[in-house]
Amino acid sequence: QVQLVESGGGLVQAGGSLRLSCAASGRTFSSYVMGWFRQAPGKEREPVAVIGWTGTRTSYGDAVKGRFTISRDNAKNTVALQMTSLNPEDTAVYYCAATLKLGAVTATNFQYWGQGTQVTVSS
């Protein structure tokens, strides 16, 4: 099992950047596939980025591809999401999530979740 705590959210102007961080507790962090999801008001929770056990495999949602970068540091038990070229459509609550076994990249396939951090992008 793992406990997750996100940080780094806030208010930023369009075109700006933010870096989200997720701190994990537990002794088996490297065993988990990690992901970032986001949910805007009135919308379904959508996958943003996923990173494999070693950090060599990553995948991104089409809406953020080329703008966001996911990374992990297993020695520090952290996973980060570097967000650049932000626009108002990126406004959402961002969640860090973990799973031992990943099939399709959907929210229901992740077992552990952080509390979420709000990202608001203004124009």
Side-chain angles (χ1 to χ4, degrees):
Q1 62 182 37
V2 61
Q3 290 75 48
L4 307 172
V5 180
E6 303 97 332
S7 63
L11 177 65
V12 64
Q13 287 189 314
S17 300
L18 280 176
R19 183 179 179 86
L20 305 183
S21 182
C22 175
S25 63
R27 303 181 68 181
T28 58
F29 176 73
S30 62
S31 298
Y32 292 88
V33 174
M34 303 297 298
W36 286 96
F37 291 76
R38 68 184 184 184
Q39 187 165 21
K43 296 184 178 180
E44 297 181 9
R45 187 169 299 187
E46 65 173 338
V48 175
V50 173
I51 188 166
W53 299 276
T54 65
T56 58
R57 295 182 179 182
T58 60
S59 64
Y60 297 90
D62 289 340
V64 307
K65 195 172 300 180
R67 298 188 297 120
F68 292 8
T69 302
I70 188 172
S71 62
R72 70 188 296 164
D73 187 337
N74 289 342
K76 297 182 178 180
N77 286 3
T78 59
V79 59
L81 184 69
Q82 180 66 49
M83 306 184 294
T84 62
S85 301
L86 288 163
N87 60 66
E89 294 184 354
D90 295 317
T91 296
V93 176
Y94 284 71
Y95 298 90
C96 178
T99 185
L100 285 172
K101 296 183 178 180
L102 180 65
V105 183
T106 62
T108 56
N109 286 333
F110 282 76
Q111 288 75 57
Y112 304 97
W113 294 86
Q115 82 288 347
T117 184
Q118 177 70 48
V119 172
T120 302
V121 184
S122 65
S123 59

